[in-house]
Amino acid sequence: GPNVELAPDNQTILQTGTQQAGDHTLTFDGSAQWGDAEDEDLRVYRCPNCGAQVIADATTAATHCPYCGNVVVMEGQLSGDFKPDYLIPFKVDKEKAVAGFKQYISSAKYVPRVFSAQDHPEDIKGVYVPFWLFDADVDVDAWFDAQNIRMWADNTYEYVETEYYDLHRAGTIAMRHVPVDGSRKMLDELMESIEPYDSDAAEGFAVAYLSGYQAQRHDVDAAACQPRANERIRESVATVMRNTVTGYATVTPVNTQIQLQHGQVRQVLMPVWMLNTRWRDQTYTFAMNGQTGLFIGDLPTDKGKFWRWLLGLTLGIGLGGYAIAYLLFSMGVL
């Protein structure tokens, strides 16, 4: 991996490509302060509506009272060091989330029927998931090897002409609102699969937005999320620079130098519809972007259905080939 060179004015030099020799990170500054969470795993809260005591884990910020259904906001969970800067409100309601889940199941070819029958889409829950949004200004220099190949022939010879190019691209890119999941409960791959979110639609945080939904407090601080933020920034910048090199038969990245500066980070709660369901002692997780409706999830496979489909396809192809051969034979072609 690439080396870290701390440059003046809180700059970091990132090098990628064939000449890289270490890892590079950028330290981001933000308005939030990150303290240690409490040691205990559980908290006890009192429902303001019916007075019942509600037990939740240390990262739950809002939930429903199991007795009266009232939303219980855990006082202090989203205050101080853990108070988000912004929140993206839900745009997709539960009815649409349930419909999306049912459509997703019904459109899958090899899902066991009993799996669909055992699902409980009414258990889909709207959850505000904590994310860190990273900003950085990126100065980049990238070098590529490229080739163009031309082929032609005459009555005697075939010719191949290869042109070699040494290409350089440079520029400045403003990376804004690069998200990294701040909850250990949520799989990073799952959360990144339902991106993107329109962060321009974020509102200043207010407890009123939590009504009717659950919310989590971050248990991965911004400092721990910085390596993933740097990685996502590097990947995005490399892709942008590669896409500027067009008109060549082949293009090979040789070396990329990335300089990040003016790092900033903010915390935002993002809307996610979640469903966890079990089948044959396995848990299947589904998630929907609560702003755009983008849906992702893993499904079990009925192997019997698959092999029956494959057998039918094979027989269909075989019979089709036999019919064509018989027709050609009848016409005297064979």
Side-chain angles (χ1 to χ4, degrees):
N3 279 331
V4 178
E5 297 182 27
L6 294 180
D9 300 326
N10 190 30
Q11 298 178 354
T12 301
I13 307 297
L14 306 187
Q15 293 183 345
T16 61
T18 58
Q19 299 179 11
Q20 53 192 357
D23 193 14
H24 302 280
T25 60
L26 171 66
T27 299
F28 293 83
D29 299 321
S31 61
Q33 300 293 323
W34 310 295
D36 294 331
E38 294 84 350
D39 294 333
E40 295 82 2
D41 293 331
L42 296 177
R43 299 287 185 275
V44 179
Y45 304 91
R46 186 174 299 278
C47 174
N49 184 53
C50 69
Q53 289 188 331
V54 179
I55 299 177
D57 64 30
T59 61
T60 300
T63 188
H64 288 82
C65 174
Y67 303 100
C68 69
N70 187 63
V71 176
V72 180
V73 177
M74 314 309 190
E75 294 183 7
Q77 292 290 71
L78 293 177
S79 62
D81 297 341
F82 297 97
K83 182 178 181 181
D85 297 291
Y86 304 103
L87 175 148
I88 296 178
F90 275 87
K91 296 297 184 184
V92 178
D93 60 23
K94 186 171 184 177
E95 182 179 352
K96 291 182 179 179
V98 170
F101 171 77
K102 290 181 177 179
Q103 181 180 4
Y104 185 77
I105 295 293
S106 63
S107 63
K109 290 184 178 180
Y110 313 117
V111 176
R113 291 182 180 178
V114 67
F115 177 81
S116 300
Q118 289 178 353
D119 286 325
H120 303 283
E122 66 274 7
D123 292 337
I124 291 179
K125 294 180 173 58
V127 182
Y128 279 110
V129 179
F131 279 77
W132 299 102
L133 297 184
F134 294 84
D135 298 342
D137 295 328
V138 183
D139 296 325
V140 56
D141 284 272
W143 289 264
F144 303 88
D145 285 340
Q147 296 181 9
N148 269 337
I149 300 174
R150 188 167 67 96
M151 304 175 64
W152 72 96
D154 56 24
N155 294 332
T156 306
Y157 299 102
E158 293 182 350
Y159 302 90
V160 177
E161 178 187 76
T162 303
E163 299 175 336
Y164 298 89
Y165 298 89
D166 182 12
L167 306 177
H168 175 232
R169 295 289 188 269
T172 300
I173 302 175
M175 300 297 297
R176 296 293 179 265
H177 305 160
V178 178
V180 179
D181 172 21
S183 170
R184 299 186 191 278
K185 292 182 179 180
M186 300 298 180
L187 294 175
D188 292 343
E189 297 81 1
L190 189 68
M191 293 297 98
E192 292 179 7
S193 295
I194 60 174
E195 294 178 4
Y197 286 88
D198 179 10
S199 54
D200 291 335
E203 304 283 349
F205 174 75
V207 174
Y209 282 113
L210 304 183
S211 179
Y213 304 101
Q214 296 185 5
Q216 291 186 359
R217 187 185 70 177
H218 77 262
D219 54 3
V220 183
D221 62 25
C225 290
Q226 286 184 25
R228 180 55 182 157
N230 279 279
E231 181 181 1
R232 301 197 77 181
I233 290 173
R234 286 197 301 270
E235 292 172 351
S236 298
V237 169
T239 299
V240 169
M241 300 308 291
R242 171 61 182 85
N243 290 340
T244 66
V245 182
T246 59
Y248 300 93
T250 63
V251 177
T252 304
V254 176
N255 185 38
T256 304
Q257 293 184 352
I258 300 175
Q259 180 176 334
L260 289 80
Q261 54 187 341
H262 307 139
Q264 296 289 328
V265 61
R266 295 291 184 271
Q267 184 186 177
V268 60
L269 295 182
M270 292 189 178
V272 180
W273 287 104
M274 295 290 303
L275 174 65
N276 290 294
T277 185
R278 290 188 61 80
W279 186 73
R280 290 189 174 179
D281 297 325
Q282 291 190 17
T283 300
Y284 296 87
T285 301
F286 304 88
M288 175 184 284
N289 184 314
Q291 184 187 43
T292 67
L294 180 62
F295 194 88
I296 193 71
D298 53 349
L299 293 170
T301 300
D302 186 331
K303 295 182 179 179
K305 277 188 177 181
F306 172 77
W307 287 113
R308 287 193 295 272
W309 170 84
L310 185 61
L311 178 61
L313 179 64
T314 303
L315 291 175
I317 293 174
L319 292 174
Y322 176 80
I324 293 173
Y326 180 78
L327 178 63
L328 294 176
F329 178 79
S330 301
M331 296 172 60
V333 176
L334 297 178

